[in-house]
Every structure is written in structure tokens, then in C-alpha cells.
Amino acid sequence: MSGGSPLNIALPKGRLGEKVYALFAQAGFECPAILENSRKLIFENEEAGVRYFWVKPSDVAIYVARGAADIGVAGKDILLEYRPDVYELMDLGIGKCSLAVAAPKGFEENPERPLRVATKFSRVARDYYGGMGRDIDIIHLNGSIEIAPILGLSDVIVDIVETGTTLKENNLEVREIIVPISARLIANKSGFKFKRDAIQRLMAGLGGNGK
Ligand code: PRP
């Protein structure tokens, strides 16, 4: 199988990454060492011609765009926000959630004023409200976005909603769904050319039909 350089795969650290690894292993890209409990971040299986890296989920697209990884798995939310120069090869149908607008229960919008929007997804929010001609004031935060409207820092938030528990426990509710999200297989553009056979073998094993 091997011989040449391995297929370099950036996996998002955490539960989603573990699910992704299980799918890839089933598709023939096993690397059992990755399942051993350790603090190592890089794992290689020379025989299977594969090398995995664990990276922060929001950084996967950076490794892939710059060619440090040939392929990786990133949420559609990250792809919409950062628009990395990569191929989006396949929807893996896991990591499903939504990007949504949420507000405190009973919030009434004042159309005369710019809407104050707290979010990690500034570009998505700008595109969404720009598309409807609504003036907004973006407050860019890096996490715990749900706190912003509670403390009066913003009127609404644009954030990921998965189970809805975080909103519920903070007395917020979904106002509009902006876009459904799921995990996508992405590839570096030249990596895709040079490692096409391996990538297509992986995609076929995942139930896709190649690019
Ligand atoms: C994400 C997201 C929401 C939460 C949604 O946060 O930003 O806060 O998960 O999940 P739920 O609908 O199932 O409650 P994350 O855990 O990534 O932390 P963050 O506060 O750093 O964004």
C-alpha cells in the first residue's frame, strides 16, 4: 500500500475527531496507535500509508490550506467564516448543528437602531444581515457568546446551536436558523492532485464517489 509519502490527515481534536477517525479506519485508513491514551499529537501507520494529526477544530482548515495536511475535516461553519482556499470534497453527515440567531425570550427588535450582534462568526453575521439590508453592530467574541445579551453587551447572538441546551439554560431562544452545519472532508488543492488515488480510495470507503 505505502511506499510514497503518507496521506497527511488533520483531525479535529475532540468527540467529532474521534468519530471521524472511526469512519476513516473503517474505510481502510487505520492507525491503531491513535486510540492509545497519550498526549501525542501525531500518529503514523506506514503500512496503511497514513499519518494523522490532532489539531484544534478551528485550525484544521489552516493546516489543509497551507499544505501541512493533505486532507482534514472541518465544520461548514468554519468554512463559511474563513473561506479557506481548499477543495470541499464531501459532506460526512456528522457533527450536525445549525448556525442561528438567538435572543433573550421576548426580545423585541428596534428597527430604528443598528442591531447589536455578538458572535464568533462575524463574516457569516455580516453576510446574513447584509443580505436583508439590516444595519448591525458586530461585537466579536471568542466563546461563551450566550452571556453577551444577558449582560446587555448585545441584543442577539449568532452562534452554533446543537442540542439547544446552552440557550435554554441561559433563557435564550432561537429566532432564525441561518444555515444547517455538518462536518466536511476538505483537501489541499495540490495535495488532491498528488495524492488523488489515496483520497479517492478513502472517499469510496466513506461512501462517496470521488471528485
Ligand atoms: C458551542 C456553541 C454553543 C454550544 C451549543 O460552544 O458556541 O455555546 O456549543 O451547543 P448546545 O446547543 O448543544 O448547547 P462550545 O462548547 O464550542 O464553547 P464556546 O463557548 O467556546 O463557543
Side-chain angles (χ1 to χ4, degrees), residues 9 16 18 21 28 31 41-42 47 72 75 91 100 131 150 161 171 191:
I9 306 179
L16 176 65
E18 285 162 22
Y21 170 71
C31 185
L41 298 171
I42 303 183
E47 222 170 294
D91 185 343
I150 299 173
V161 180
N171 285 316

Side-chain angles (χ1 to χ4, degrees), residues 120 142-146 159-167:
K120 276 196 276 203
N142 297 300
S144 299
I145 316 292
E146 291 84 356
D159 200 12
I160 293 291
V161 180
E162 191 181 349
T163 60
T165 309
T166 313
L167 292 183

